Amino acid sequence: MGRIILTGDRPTGKLHLGHYVGSLRNRVLLQNEGNYDRMFVFIADVQALTDNADNPEKVRQNIIEVALDYLSCGLDPEKVTLFIQSQVPQLHEMTQFFSNLVTVQRLQRNPTVKTEMALRGFHNGETQDDNQRGLPVGFFTYPISQAADICFCKATTVPVGEDQEPMIEQCREIVRSFNSIYKCDVLVEPEILLPSNMACRRLPGTDGKAKMSKSLGNCIYLSEDPKEMEKKVKGMFTDPGHLRVEDPGKIEGNTVFTYLDAFCEDGDFANFWPEYQNLEELKDHYRRGGLGDMKCKKFLIQVLHDRLEPIRARRHAYEQDIAGVYDILRKGSEAACEVAAQTLHEMKDAMKINYFDDAALIAEQAAKYKL
Ligand code: TRP
């Protein structure tokens, strides 16, 4: 059994540095290592619509943003199939069959669904106040549709952020239940692939709070203008107890150091700050006292410029060929449809609902009624 890699993102905004270190950078590495039979990366517009039904324009505009972010990070359409979820109708058929294998109670226990419901003010029927809205069925059941996203290509490996762990677990349960009920081995249980570095698993926003999120205004985008990026780093949360340069400073919870953990490479010191050999030396000095926040921020700015510049350059090139980008997505979607049609056929065989291919069924029914 070969290795098949699949992952995707909702097109609800431009991708930011949290997406980059949490998953994008990993995908490009995986792509370039070449240790797989096939790799798929897709734009989850159907999932984005589960809580944006009244705003399809937002989803429509962000398809191209996410596609440009993918290509600018170095995903190569020659090596990776890039596609749009809504353009692969087989996924919806699979979702329907899977939905019979999942209970409402199981969905209600999914921690990611719970958190996201609370965040969006969707109530579950038990508590309700004026600020809450009803829970769309499509939103509530999106983990089932996500299982179809993963299963259509029999993905073995899903590189995603930590918050997606409950989704992968739920998908594995669906696979086990399908294969056991229909006595087959059509579907494959996927494994999650998390970034090894903790700073990358949950990159905080520039305010040091939780995750980066557009609604909190604490993001640095991949396509961020260099001047804007500098401004955001200069305003970053550090150690509030580090008032004077000579004071000892704290590394834990200090956003500048969390970002350095996520982005800094040893070569950056030789290039931009030769007084130090590596990040450990820099941290030691900060802890001892005598090292100002602004110096550290300026170093982080240089590191980020160095990482983001090639991404920005590739983006500019693709921006001048938008029709070409849609063409990449169209071709990728067609290729994904072929793979999905094959898996769906195998699923229907296992469920014995490929009636017209089933000569034995037709003969049996004919015999039953023959006078
Ligand atoms: N839920 C993912 C997110 O919010 C997007 C997604 C949809 C996905 N289907 C997927 C990720 C399948 C990995 C595999 O970012």
Side-chain angles (χ1 to χ4, degrees), residues 253-318:
N254 186 322
T255 320
V256 172
F257 284 96
T258 311
Y259 277 53
L260 286 173
D261 277 332
F263 283 97
C264 182
E265 296 163 9
D266 281 349
D268 292 328
F269 286 94
N271 288 334
F272 308 123
W273 212 356
E275 280 172 52
Y276 303 93
Q277 294 273 324
N278 54 43
L279 193 51
E280 279 322 302
E281 269 189 36
L282 182 73
K283 286 182 181 175
D284 282 342
H285 191 180
Y286 191 83
R287 283 197 196 96
R288 280 200 308 275
L291 178 58
D293 283 346
M294 202 37 89
K295 278 194 175 170
C296 299
K297 286 179 173 175
K298 286 196 172 139
F299 175 56
L300 175 59
I301 288 171
Q302 283 175 304
V303 170
L304 288 179
H305 271 319
D306 195 68
R307 295 310 97 90
L308 295 182
E309 192 39 49
I311 297 179
R312 218 177 276 127
R314 264 192 303 261
R315 194 181 223 272
H316 286 320
Y318 279 113

Side-chain angles (χ1 to χ4, degrees), residues 27-93:
R27 296 177 200 177
V28 177
L29 282 176
L30 286 166
Q31 164 194 283
N32 294 337
E33 278 166 17
N35 174 24
Y36 53 85
D37 293 326
R38 194 140 181 199
M39 185 163 167
F40 297 87
V41 176
F42 79 105
I43 303 178
D45 61 337
V46 176
Q47 188 171 111
L49 286 165
T50 63
D51 65 332
N52 286 288
D54 55 352
N55 200 357
E57 189 55 23
K58 169 170 145 192
V59 173
R60 181 167 172 265
Q61 293 298 331
N62 280 307
I63 299 251
I64 195 73
E65 292 295 345
V66 173
L68 286 168
D69 284 334
Y70 283 169
L71 294 164
S72 63
C73 283
L75 286 179
D76 174 356
E78 297 287 317
K79 297 181 180 153
V80 177
T81 305
L82 296 170
F83 71 95
I84 304 180
Q85 187 185 18
S86 62
Q87 304 308 300
V88 184
Q90 292 85 356
L91 295 177
H92 313 309
E93 277 191 71

Side-chain angles (χ1 to χ4, degrees), residues 10 47 50 95 98-99 102 106-114 116 136-151 164 166-172 174:
R10 293 182 198 173
Q47 188 171 111
T50 63
T95 302
F98 287 170
S99 69
V102 180
R106 175 64 183 86
L107 283 169
Q108 277 168 335
R109 283 199 308 272
N110 183 311
T112 305
V113 173
K114 277 200 206 166
E116 291 187 340
V137 172
F139 181 83
F140 181 58
T141 57
Y142 91 72
I144 304 176
S145 142
Q146 183 154 341
D149 302 339
I150 296 170
C151 288
Q164 295 296 303
M167 297 296 157
I168 310 299
E169 190 44 46
Q170 184 136 33
C171 175
R172 292 165 62 87
I174 291 173

